[in-house]
Amino acid sequence: MTSDEALMLQFQGGSTEAFDELFARYREPLFGFFRRRLNSSERAEDLAQETFLAVIRATSRYEPRALVRTYLYGIALNLLAAERRKQSKDVPVDSSPEPAVSSAPYAVLWVRQALQKLDPSEREIIMLREYEQLSYSEIADLLRLPLNTVRSRLFRSRMALKGYLESESKPERRVATTELTNSSEEHEARNDQ
């Protein structure tokens, strides 16, 4: 399988097949990125498309300094920030958009509610790690933070999330909290050496 970086360089050289492959690899993950952060499926789809349009527009300026995945999520974060600024002008101050949760099971809803209680920067770092499955170094590159800062902020975010989850704890919720913590620890042990 051709690496993302090689595909990006091929696209830069004029290969539409390389772009099609990158689009196929990242369309769903980018849609999910926006969908988890916005209350509109249609807007999430639009922003995922806009991410690829930005790649097309900037193809001549692309330099392989970071992973293509980090590059794409960087564009996505910028588009998301612009979208939130636009929404804040259109929405009354006391209402904040929450991701749609229509058919989610109870435990998922409970975790999403707890995530909403986190500070936006805490929420974003934990979502990049747990939902987008970015490594610590990718998050550091994306957010332009030192690696150890990412590690400490992620730890604090997880502890705050765990605190919110346990504060409303019922027996079935305690099981979900334990599973979330164990899953995160196992995932880190496998992916961050």
Side-chain angles (χ1 to χ4, degrees):
M1 182 164 91
T2 307
S3 74
D4 295 340
E5 292 70 29
L7 287 171
M8 190 65 177
L9 291 173
Q10 289 171 15
F11 172 59
Q12 196 173 31
S15 169
T16 57
E17 293 83 15
F19 179 80
D20 290 344
E21 179 63 26
L22 283 171
F23 182 83
R25 289 181 186 181
Y26 286 100
R27 186 200 147 322
E28 285 298 318
L30 286 169
F31 171 75
F33 170 86
F34 289 114
R35 186 66 185 114
R36 284 185 284 279
R37 290 160 175 83
L38 299 171
N39 62 357
S40 166
S41 179
E42 293 81 20
R43 195 64 192 130
E45 181 66 37
D46 290 345
L47 289 173
Q49 297 289 334
E50 285 181 38
T51 302
F52 288 105
L53 287 174
V55 169
I56 291 169
R57 287 186 199 116
T59 191
S60 63
R61 296 187 309 265
Y62 172 75
E63 295 178 19
R65 292 183 292 213
L67 296 174
V68 168
R69 176 174 150 155
T70 306
Y71 177 66
L72 290 171
Y73 280 110
I75 293 169
L77 273 175
N78 289 336
L79 289 171
L80 181 64
E83 180 70 13
R84 286 181 173 160
R85 282 190 302 272
K86 180 182 164 192
Q87 286 180 351
S88 70
K89 291 177 184 176
D90 298 340
V91 176
V93 176
D94 58 310
S95 69
S96 63
E98 293 184 22
V101 291
S102 58
S103 62
Y106 178 76
V108 173
L109 291 174
W110 180 54
V111 171
R112 286 185 182 175
Q113 287 172 348
L115 278 169
Q116 289 303 314
K117 293 178 183 177
L118 294 174
D119 176 71
S121 63
E122 291 177 333
R123 181 173 47 247
E124 192 59 50
I125 203 162
I126 208 165
M127 290 179 78
L128 288 170
R129 179 66 181 164
E130 300 302 330
Y131 290 106
E132 273 52 73
Q133 300 291 301
L134 296 180
S135 70
Y136 283 25
S137 61
E138 288 173 317
I139 295 170
D141 288 344
L142 191 58
L143 299 179
R144 296 185 179 117
L145 295 170
L147 185 61
N148 285 336
T149 301
V150 169
R151 290 179 189 278
S152 63
R153 286 186 185 176
L154 188 57
F155 176 79
R156 283 194 308 267
S157 298
R158 284 182 176 141
M159 291 299 102
L161 181 62
K162 184 177 179 182
Y164 289 131
L165 292 171
E166 288 177 345
S167 70
E168 299 178 20
S169 191
K170 291 182 179 176
E172 66 274 7
R173 289 181 176 174
R174 240 181 246 121
V175 171
T177 303
T178 305
E179 289 172 2
L180 174 70
T181 305
N182 292 342
S183 169
S184 296
E185 291 168 358
E186 291 169 12
H187 179 72
E188 284 175 30
R190 286 193 309 268
N191 293 322
D192 284 321
Q193 301 299 324

